[in-house]
Amino acid sequence: DGTRMANDLFSVGSGSTFAYGVLDQGYRWDLSDDEARELGRRAIFHATHRDAYSGGTVNLYHMQEQGWVKVSASDVGPLYYEYMGKADDGPAETAEADMET
């Protein structure tokens, strides 16, 4: 609806309640950029794992004062094994994007 709100943390969409569970557990004010990216990636994964309408890819963006930067796009299949510990298939497949704005 175009509403703008100020806050430190947001999750929207049909899987947001699942994402909030991860975010509430792992968020703290002094997260490094790498820690924040990993927390976001994990939160989005859990939303996609529990919500059929959330899709099968974790698209991760870093919002900065100058705009946003696409960090990665990860398939949730390999992430399942990384986060849920069901198999040792190596690191999740991630397509790293250019870090330019």
Side-chain angles (χ1 to χ4, degrees):
D1 67 6
T3 301
R4 292 181 150 193
M5 301 181 326
N7 204 338
D8 296 327
L9 187 66
F10 289 100
S11 180
V12 296
S14 60
S16 67
T17 55
F18 304 109
Y20 269 127
V22 174
L23 294 170
D24 287 343
Q25 178 186 16
Y27 178 77
R28 61 180 202 281
W29 178 253
D30 62 344
L31 288 172
S32 69
D33 285 351
D34 288 339
E35 290 171 324
R37 289 175 184 142
E38 177 56 26
L39 178 61
R41 183 173 168 241
R42 193 163 23 97
I44 297 167
F45 161 75
H46 282 283
T48 64
H49 179 64
R50 296 289 181 195
D51 178 59
Y53 296 104
S54 289
T57 304
V58 174
N59 292 304
L60 189 61
Y61 295 85
H62 184 172
M63 301 300 296
Q64 301 171 333
E65 288 182 27
Q66 306 83 7
W68 56 269
V69 176
K70 185 169 186 176
V71 175
S72 64
S74 303
D75 184 282
V76 296
L79 287 177
Y80 175 83
Y81 296 105
E82 180 178 335
Y83 292 130
M84 305 302 277
K86 301 293 183 186
D88 188 11
D89 289 347
E93 295 174 18
T94 302
E96 294 297 329
D98 290 332
M99 297 299 288
E100 299 175 18
T101 55

